[in-house]
Amino acid sequence: MTIKTKLARIGTVAAAGAALAVLGSGSAFAGSNGQQLRFYDTQGSTYSIQVAGWNHAGQYTTACFNTAVKDNYIGGWWWKWDLHWVGYSSAGCSGNVTVSERQDYVEPNQADDWWFIHS
């Protein structure tokens, strides 16, 4: 076997390993196993939201997201099934409650990967 052939095989094995690592990472893809949130602040008074629900891996989790603008795309977090959220008047999920707890059911599968919630 020549050096060129050995290098080609090493490259193929490395590429296959990288592909398996990406596929096995547990990320959701384009609305196939959960949705990212899009929060629209119709009142103009909500500067953070506390979200609790099931993630793409089937684990129950809670997170706080700052929502400084009217139309907020909260990427990198994938939600599905039952979702609960509360709006707050200050960043860091502090201050007064601007939106009392709301519940939503997030479809795990849809054509888009953004689930729309609003105040």
Side-chain angles (χ1 to χ4, degrees):
M1 182 179 307
T2 68
I3 291 177
K4 187 175 181 180
T5 305
K6 285 181 185 179
L7 289 175
R9 284 191 181 178
I10 290 171
T12 301
V13 169
L20 287 174
V22 168
L23 290 174
S25 68
S27 296
F29 296 100
S32 64
N33 190 28
Q35 316 304 321
Q36 298 176 94
L37 296 180
R38 177 183 177 193
F39 170 69
Y40 189 80
D41 184 11
T42 57
Q43 301 171 6
S45 61
T46 302
Y47 290 91
S48 61
I49 59 172
Q50 181 79 35
V51 180
W54 300 94
N55 68 14
H56 66 280
Q59 302 165 323
Y60 194 83
T61 188
T62 302
C64 176
F65 302 101
N66 291 332
T67 56
V69 297
K70 245 181 159 20
D71 198 5
N72 300 271
Y73 287 82
I74 303 169
W77 289 73
W78 298 83
W79 305 90
K80 63 183 179 180
W81 308 322
D82 292 323
L83 181 79
H84 302 265
W85 65 276
V86 177
Y88 293 92
S89 62
S90 299
C93 296
S94 63
N96 297 321
V97 171
T98 58
V99 181
S100 298
E101 182 177 346
R102 295 210 179 153
Q103 286 184 265
D104 202 348
Y105 183 82
V106 180
E107 291 292 338
N109 300 296
Q110 68 174 14
D112 190 13
D113 61 355
W114 294 100
W115 192 262
F116 185 75
I117 59 175
H118 62 89
S119 60

